[in-house]
């Protein structure tokens, strides 16, 4: 598996943050990413691994996650994300193609009001 970043993420992600996500990715690849908090985030195609959640300035719930292509063919990610107690969100990751098994980093934004949640990491991280 390979971590692929969409061009926008490559430009905007600070090096320290990129290294944190890269370390999480390598831990995930080795099947050592344990104690994942299951918040019920699901994709209609592929797999979502929620890493961190926060609220933006508008009070919307942001979930940064790995998205993995679990199909047998290359795809341009376009899927429906669901989260209990939230609206369904249609997600398209532009200008990106993932081969089978490849993973990218993406933020899913739920704009409808949500049940209360704790902001922060959903996986163990080393500081």
């Amino acid at each position: 598996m390979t971590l692929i970043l969409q061009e926008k993420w490559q430009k905007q992600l600070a090096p320290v943050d990129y290294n944190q996500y890269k370390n999480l990715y390598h831990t995930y690849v080795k099947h050592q990413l344990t104690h994942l908090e299951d918040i019920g985030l699901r994709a209609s195609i592929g797999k979502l691994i929620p890493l961190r959640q926060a609220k933006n300035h508008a009070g919307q719930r942001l979930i940064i996650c790995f998205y993995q292509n679990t199909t047998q063919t290359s795809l341009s990610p376009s899927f429906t994300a669901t989260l209990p107690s939230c609206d369904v969100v249609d997600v398209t990751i532009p200008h990106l193609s993932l081969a089978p098994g490849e993973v990218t980093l993406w933020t899913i934004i739920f704009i409808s009001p949500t049940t209360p949640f704790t902001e922060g990491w959903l996986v163990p991280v080393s500081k």
Side-chain angles (χ1 to χ4, degrees), residues 66-83:
F66 288 141
Y67 173 79
Q68 181 179 3
N69 177 4
T70 58
T71 72
Q72 298 300 311
T73 61
S74 293
L75 59 79
S76 296
S78 185
F79 56 92
T80 300
T82 58
L83 183 67

Side-chain angles (χ1 to χ4, degrees), residues 47-97:
K47 182 177 181 181
L48 290 168
I49 300 92
L51 304 171
R52 188 175 192 162
Q53 61 185 353
K55 284 184 187 174
N56 65 10
H57 64 284
Q60 299 164 329
R61 187 175 186 172
L62 311 176
I63 302 174
I64 299 172
C65 54
F66 288 141
Y67 173 79
Q68 181 179 3
N69 177 4
T70 58
T71 72
Q72 298 300 311
T73 61
S74 293
L75 59 79
S76 296
S78 185
F79 56 92
T80 300
T82 58
L83 183 67
S85 304
C86 288
D87 284 342
V88 171
V89 176
D90 291 322
V91 178
T92 298
I93 303 176
H95 314 294
L96 185 74
S97 180

Side-chain angles (χ1 to χ4, degrees), residues 1-52:
M1 287 191 300
T2 304
L3 179 62
I4 306 294
L5 292 181
Q6 194 249 12
E7 185 178 347
K8 180 179 174 182
W9 274 83
Q10 291 175 16
K11 291 179 181 179
Q12 294 180 349
L13 196 59
V16 68
D17 294 333
Y18 174 69
N19 286 332
Q20 182 71 58
Y21 288 115
K22 188 168 67 171
N23 289 338
L24 285 171
Y25 169 74
H26 289 297
T27 303
Y28 174 69
V29 168
K30 295 176 190 174
H31 304 287
Q32 296 173 344
L33 191 56
T34 59
H35 307 296
L36 296 167
E37 186 174 333
D38 186 0
I39 59 173
L41 183 63
R42 303 288 182 260
S44 58
I45 299 170
K47 182 177 181 181
L48 290 168
I49 300 92
L51 304 171
R52 188 175 192 162

Side-chain angles (χ1 to χ4, degrees), residues 105-122:
L105 191 59
W106 201 249
T107 301
I108 299 176
I109 303 171
F110 289 91
I111 58 175
S112 66
T114 96
T115 56
F117 65 94
T118 303
E119 295 186 65
W121 290 100
L122 298 166

